[in-house]
Amino acid sequence: MLDSNIINFTKPSTFILLGIPGLEAAHIWISIPFCTMYTIAILGNFIILFIVKREPSLHGPMNYFLCLLAITDLVLSTSILPKMLAIFWFNSREIDFSACLTQLYFIYCFSAMESGIFVAMAFDRYVAICHPLRHSITLTNPVVAKIGLSVVLRGIMLILPYPLLARQWPYCRTNIIPHSYCEHIAMVKLTCTDIRISSYYGLLVAFFVIGLDVIFITMSYIQILRAIFSLPTKDARLKTFGTCGSHLCAILAFYIPTLFSSFLHRFGHNVSLHLHILIANMYLLVPPMLNPIIYGMRTKQIRDRLL
């Protein structure tokens, strides 16, 4: 089967996505939790956007960032799920070369944006707790707009070389991608040239996005914890720390699967391929589902408005 797809071409017209190799018989069953997560992500994030838009008391920096996060989650989950479900339900494995590059770009671009939004939210919590009297002066609407624009532009510019490099490589092996979506390294491995530029650039982007963002968030929370522990009473400390609860839960839901998947990809050479792919899917599907649940349950104004 694979031999029939080993052809000589410079640019393939289509790629074949295998879904989750080794678990083809279970594709229908796997699609049930994936479809459920997608449905919750779509409904939850639209509800967040609707409530924040309709409730004037929620028109503040943190909730503006939350709306940007909701939009990012909607695009991110929609970039991967419809095609994945088509593979699971209808065995529709073909994807156009340009469509594959577009999917690759959207997945990594909006993942980078999401990481940047968490940094912006950490900065908001830092100013609100460490410099409360200056919060309204520091995070004005124009400043929030500039931060949001910088997060979006960073994602767009950093990820743009991914599809540009992948488009120019000559492909002379198979057009079969053993994955459920157009994953960057899985795609460029099909080329018949040296892909070290793509590999090294991917590591550089991972450092600048995940590495630096985690450092900035950690630095913010070190200052936040210092300010909290300087408060005179336990109730005041708990109440202040509670304002960071939603943000911390969302950060953990995003970074833990991401870091675990990256670690497994680099060092888990003895781990089966289908487990690699399942984990890679989880870190793209779970945060968009959990974020509206976390903020809906832990933010009193959103919870009350929803009820």
Side-chain angles (χ1 to χ4, degrees):
M1 178 65 183
L2 289 179
D3 291 340
S4 65
N5 288 278
I6 298 175
I7 51 181
N8 290 319
F9 45 50
T10 302
K11 292 292 183 295
S13 59
T14 60
F15 284 112
I16 306 296
L17 294 169
L18 293 185
I20 304 178
L23 296 179
E24 288 86 355
H27 274 177
I28 293 295
W29 296 106
I30 294 171
S31 71
I32 295 173
F34 280 15
C35 185
T36 302
M37 286 189 285
Y38 181 54
T39 304
I40 294 172
I42 294 295
L43 291 176
N45 285 294
F46 270 119
I47 288 171
I48 292 289
L49 290 170
F50 178 76
I51 290 176
V52 173
K53 182 179 184 298
R54 292 293 298 272
E55 184 58 52
S57 65
L58 293 173
H59 293 178
M62 190 65 170
N63 291 309
Y64 290 149
F65 292 138
L66 177 59
C67 288
L68 186 57
L69 180 67
I71 294 170
T72 301
D73 283 338
L74 286 169
V75 177
L76 185 59
S77 56
T78 302
S79 298
I80 180 176
L81 250 297
K83 181 58 183 177
M84 191 185 301
L85 293 178
I87 295 170
F88 291 165
W89 291 346
F90 310 113
N91 203 31
S92 176
R93 300 183 175 188
E94 284 194 4
I95 183 169
D96 185 75
F97 179 71
S98 297
C100 195
L101 291 175
T102 303
Q103 186 191 53
L104 178 153
Y105 180 72
F106 270 73
I107 289 171
Y108 288 95
C109 178
F110 281 86
S111 294
M113 287 183 196
E114 184 149 345
S115 183
I117 294 167
F118 286 129
V119 176
M121 287 178 159
F123 178 66
D124 173 84
R125 290 299 85 202
Y126 162 73
V127 176
I129 293 173
C130 299
H131 306 285
L133 298 179
R134 297 172 56 188
H135 185 259
S136 59
I137 301 173
T138 303
L139 285 170
T140 60
N141 286 343
V143 171
V144 171
K146 289 176 183 177
I147 293 173
L149 182 61
S150 66
V151 167
V152 171
L153 289 177
R154 186 190 73 157
I156 290 172
M157 298 306 295
L158 278 178
I159 305 302
L160 190 58
Y162 277 25
L164 294 180
L165 287 172
R167 179 178 287 276
Q168 76 171 11
W169 300 136
Y171 292 81
C172 59
R173 297 177 182 174
T174 176
N175 65 338
I176 294 176
I177 300 177
H179 215 294
S180 56
Y181 60 87
C182 294
E183 198 267 337
H184 178 230
I185 296 299
M187 183 176 176
V188 297
K189 278 183 178 179
L190 304 182
T191 65
C192 53
T193 187
D194 189 348
I195 62 167
R196 280 183 294 181
I197 294 176
S198 289
S199 182
Y200 290 156
Y201 186 74
L203 288 172
L204 188 66
V205 169
F207 172 74
F208 273 105
V209 174
I210 303 297
L212 290 183
D213 287 356
V214 169
I215 290 172
F216 289 143
I217 291 170
T218 302
M219 290 171 60
S220 296
Y221 270 94
I222 288 173
Q223 298 300 320
I224 288 170
L225 290 174
R226 284 180 177 175
I228 288 174
F229 286 121
S230 67
L231 295 174
T233 65
K234 181 179 179 181
D235 288 342
R237 289 194 289 269
L238 290 174
K239 184 177 179 180
T240 305
F241 188 74
T243 63
C244 303
S246 300
H247 184 234
L248 284 172
C249 291
I251 286 173
L252 293 174
F254 178 77
Y255 285 110
I256 289 177
T258 301
L259 292 173
F260 184 69
S261 179
S262 299
F263 179 82
L264 202 63
H265 181 74
R266 299 291 174 186
F267 305 106
H269 303 298
N270 296 324
V271 178
S272 59
L273 179 60
H274 65 264
L275 185 58
H276 273 285
I277 296 173
L278 281 172
I279 294 172
N281 288 327
M282 287 297 103
Y283 91 81
L284 290 176
L285 299 178
V286 171
M289 176 193 70
L290 287 183
N291 288 336
I293 296 174
I294 291 168
Y295 281 97
M297 291 178 62
R298 294 191 60 87
T299 306
K300 186 177 185 300
Q301 297 99 318
I302 294 177
R303 185 173 66 248
D304 291 346
R305 182 70 178 179
L306 179 61
L307 293 174

